[in-house]
Amino acid sequence: MRLYHSPTSPYVRKVMVLLAETGLTGVHPVPASGTPVDPGSMPLDQNPLGKIPSLERDDGPALYDSRVICRYLDSLAGSGLYPDAPRLWDSLTVEATADGILDAAVLMVYETRVRPADLRFAPWVEGQWAKVDRALDAVESRWIDHLNGALDIGQIAVGCALGYLDFRHDSRGWRESRPSLDQWYATFSTRNSMTATQPPA
Ligand SMILES: N[C@@H](CCC(=O)N[C@@H](CS)C(=O)NCC(=O)O)C(=O)O
């Protein structure tokens, strides 16, 4: 299988962390890059949305969206990163919360990197950060017990989201007023799967 990949994409990182945690082999990274205004080398034939990660398979159409790819690879590996219900609903909600943090954080980056300066709208950027802020507060107040439980896709997604905030939005200081999440990430980020997939400096 071929995984369209960028070392700076936090969604790709979710897949790479899952691969490292499960030990699944046979997935080969293929470099891809692009933006909403220039798809560049994005795999448009595989994913009409022009986004990564996308997973090309030998025996079926390409899969896309990190949530679909992660679930597919977990099922191939039989690794149980998606627990049985009712815990499953918590795992998926934690993953959705982390992915929502990423969606807002990535849009903020595009705003400064892709949109011309004279077309930028600061309140829109702050509105995106407000989403991140609220979601982090929800994880801090509601989901710490879940994060401290058995490894699952929710933890992987939160780990990749926090890693991306450190990578692109360090100056926002997400750790302030979130001591439990800070402590959890200090441990989680030392896993081999996380250190091996750190975005380049
Ligand atoms: N919901 C998607 C989001 C993927 C995504 O937005 N990836 C970014 C790279 S970090 C991308 O491909 N951006 C190009 C674009 O939006 O055109 C997922 O979870 O895979």
Side-chain angles (χ1 to χ4, degrees), residues 80-98:
L81 292 172
Y82 296 79
D84 292 336
R87 186 177 160 85
L88 175 65
W89 309 123
D90 292 344
S91 300
L92 294 178
T93 301
V94 173
E95 181 187 25
T97 306

Side-chain angles (χ1 to χ4, degrees), residues 2-196:
R2 288 150 58 90
L3 178 71
Y4 291 90
H5 175 282
S6 160
T8 58
S9 166
Y11 306 99
V12 170
R13 189 179 188 190
K14 284 173 64 188
V15 177
M16 298 305 286
V17 169
L18 183 139
L19 286 173
E21 291 288 352
T22 61
L24 196 68
T25 56
V27 176
H28 306 288
V30 177
S33 65
T35 70
V37 298
D38 175 9
S41 58
M42 288 302 206
L44 299 180
D45 288 343
Q46 288 77 11
N47 179 355
L49 302 173
K51 295 187 179 192
I52 51 173
S54 302
L55 183 72
E56 200 172 77
R57 301 178 292 165
D58 295 332
D59 58 350
L63 300 180
Y64 45 85
D65 201 285
S66 61
R67 289 191 220 184
V68 177
I69 296 171
C70 285
R71 196 150 182 175
Y72 172 73
L73 294 175
D74 173 78
S75 110
L76 278 189
S79 43
L81 292 172
Y82 296 79
D84 292 336
R87 186 177 160 85
L88 175 65
W89 309 123
D90 292 344
S91 300
L92 294 178
T93 301
V94 173
E95 181 187 25
T97 306
D99 284 4
I101 290 172
L102 283 179
D103 293 345
V106 166
L107 285 178
M108 288 170 71
V109 171
Y110 286 156
E111 186 71 8
T112 48
R113 294 199 165 187
V114 178
R115 196 184 294 278
D118 56 333
L119 296 178
R120 287 182 202 148
F121 183 49
W124 187 90
V125 173
E126 291 315 306
Q128 296 302 329
W129 183 255
K131 290 176 191 288
V132 175
D133 237 359
R134 285 193 301 267
L136 290 172
D137 285 344
V139 178
E140 174 80 12
S141 62
R142 216 176 285 163
W143 295 117
I144 292 297
D145 285 349
H146 185 97
L147 294 183
N148 285 323
L151 181 69
D152 74 345
I153 190 61
Q155 294 174 25
I156 291 174
V158 171
C160 293
L162 297 179
Y164 189 73
L165 295 182
D166 280 348
F167 180 48
R168 294 291 196 212
H169 299 290
D170 193 32
S171 62
R172 296 273 182 170
W174 68 263
R175 290 174 174 78
E176 284 164 30
S177 77
R178 297 182 188 105
S180 305
L181 195 51
D182 182 11
Q183 194 181 7
W184 174 80
Y185 185 64
T187 304
F188 190 81
S189 60
T190 64
R191 295 179 80 90
N192 289 342
S193 60
M194 289 294 287
T195 56

